[in-house]
Amino acid sequence: MPDGPKLSAIIPPELAGMRLDQALARVFDDYSRTNLKNWLLAGHILKNGAVAKPRDQVLGGEEVSIIEIPNRDEPDLPEHIALDIIFADDDLLVVNKPAGLVTHPGAGNRAGTMLNGLLFFDPGLSALPRAGIVHRLDKDTSGLMVVARSLPAHTRLVQALQEHQVQRTYQAICCNVPISGGTISAPIGRHPNHRTKMAVVSRGKNATTHYRLIKRYPRHAHLEVTLETGRTHQIRVHLSHAGFPLVGDPSYGGNTRSASGISASLRTTLAAFPRQALHAARLALEHPIRSEQMKWEAPLPNDFSSLLLALEQNKLGNAV
């Protein structure tokens, strides 16, 4: 048995009454429920230092530890991929991920991901789950991600994310114009008919998104968005559910290329915009080892800035 846990966390109180395997799927959501259940049965996961059963109920507050993560048949390989690393020390990396880069390998994306680039940058990351990646950005979302570089940092960052202590602020451009800012609290889970998509569903995981109106345009708006939770596609799903889908996001209703009442120039810019208009602009957290408050900002990428300029020019044209 290894000297210590590869990953540990505290089960939050709101999961009280759940079966252990269900609670683990919430706490360690980088891993499938099937894998977690199998690891439980094999004795690779401990609850309060002891072997437990998948059907055991949790009370909240228990410490759960993954003491061994079995190797996959296909190991992740290092690749020389250029990464925009804006901060590095012995415990953390902060990366400004470009749009188009997949965060970590999955079905159909076994190589060419940020994880592969991280392994090339620091081979020691192979000792950590997911090479230290503790949260994700969608392939076509740009911006800041924090990566753990040591096991203690990994454990504490995972816990900080679970306890909503990591502040993530995004900029977004949406279709339609909200009257003002607001909060969307609605559970998110798999779409009942489209398994590759997420949706607001009654049995989903709790999710809360706050948004603030930065600027109105005739048929679009520039928003600042902050997260309390980190569900898959959360901002995209919540804003679409509220009637404000992101520009460039046809999966959730953001295809505005046929929108009426816009200039030819803006129509061309919208048609050429290749992704959802979402950028992780700011990240703030307490350093997991030094307990120092830290924050970083990533400037808007060129495609996002160009879209804002086109929206501004279209607005001025309509005002003439």
Side-chain angles (χ1 to χ4, degrees), residues 4-233:
K6 289 187 176 294
L7 192 59
S8 64
I10 303 297
I11 294 179
E14 59 264 29
L15 302 187
M18 274 192 177
R19 287 173 25 164
L20 179 57
D21 58 345
Q22 295 172 328
L24 288 171
R26 297 284 189 97
V27 172
F28 299 121
D29 61 1
D30 271 347
Y31 303 103
S32 72
R33 183 172 164 185
T34 298
N35 278 342
L36 291 165
K37 182 177 180 180
N38 290 338
W39 297 348
L40 263 175
L41 294 170
H44 297 317
I45 301 179
L46 304 181
K47 182 182 72 172
N48 290 334
V51 175
K53 297 178 181 178
R55 292 182 176 273
D56 288 352
Q57 282 196 338
V58 299
L59 302 176
E62 297 96 331
E63 181 181 19
V64 285
S65 303
I66 303 177
I67 60 173
E68 184 175 353
I69 300 174
N71 291 327
R72 295 200 304 260
D73 293 335
E74 299 180 61
D76 297 317
L77 300 176
E79 294 181 57
H80 191 186
I81 296 171
L83 298 176
D84 182 11
I85 296 174
I86 66 170
F87 175 83
D89 67 9
D90 291 341
D91 299 289
L92 293 182
L93 295 172
V94 176
V95 182
N96 184 16
K97 187 187 86 67
L101 181 63
V102 175
T103 299
H104 51 64
N109 288 295
R110 294 303 314 166
T113 72
M114 192 177 92
L115 184 147
N116 301 107
L118 287 169
L119 291 173
F120 184 90
F121 176 81
D122 180 0
L125 292 173
S126 61
L128 299 177
R130 300 262 186 190
I133 294 172
V134 293
H135 66 115
R136 290 167 281 189
L137 290 178
D138 295 338
K139 174 185 176 182
D140 289 326
T141 298
S142 57
L144 297 174
M145 293 182 61
V146 62
V147 177
R149 213 172 179 183
S150 67
L151 183 57
H154 188 283
T155 299
R156 292 169 192 173
L157 282 173
V158 169
Q159 185 172 353
L161 285 160
Q162 291 170 353
E163 296 175 355
H164 316 314
Q165 295 173 353
V166 177
Q167 298 173 21
R168 291 169 286 170
T169 305
Y170 296 75
Q171 291 202 28
I173 302 172
C174 69
C175 309
N176 307 321
V177 187
I179 295 173
S180 62
T183 295
I184 306 166
S185 293
I188 291 177
R190 286 288 169 193
H191 193 290
N193 300 318
H194 304 282
R195 300 304 294 170
T196 60
K197 295 174 61 176
M198 309 300 287
V200 170
V201 291
S202 59
R203 295 189 177 182
K205 297 179 180 179
N206 293 334
T208 300
T209 303
H210 306 284
Y211 62 95
R212 180 179 70 84
L213 185 62
I214 296 175
K215 192 160 189 176
R216 293 183 178 89
Y217 298 98
R219 284 172 176 76
H220 302 86
H222 183 192
L223 304 178
E224 179 181 88
V225 185
T226 57
L227 296 177
E228 284 192 19
T229 51
R231 309 306 179 200
T232 301
H233 299 177

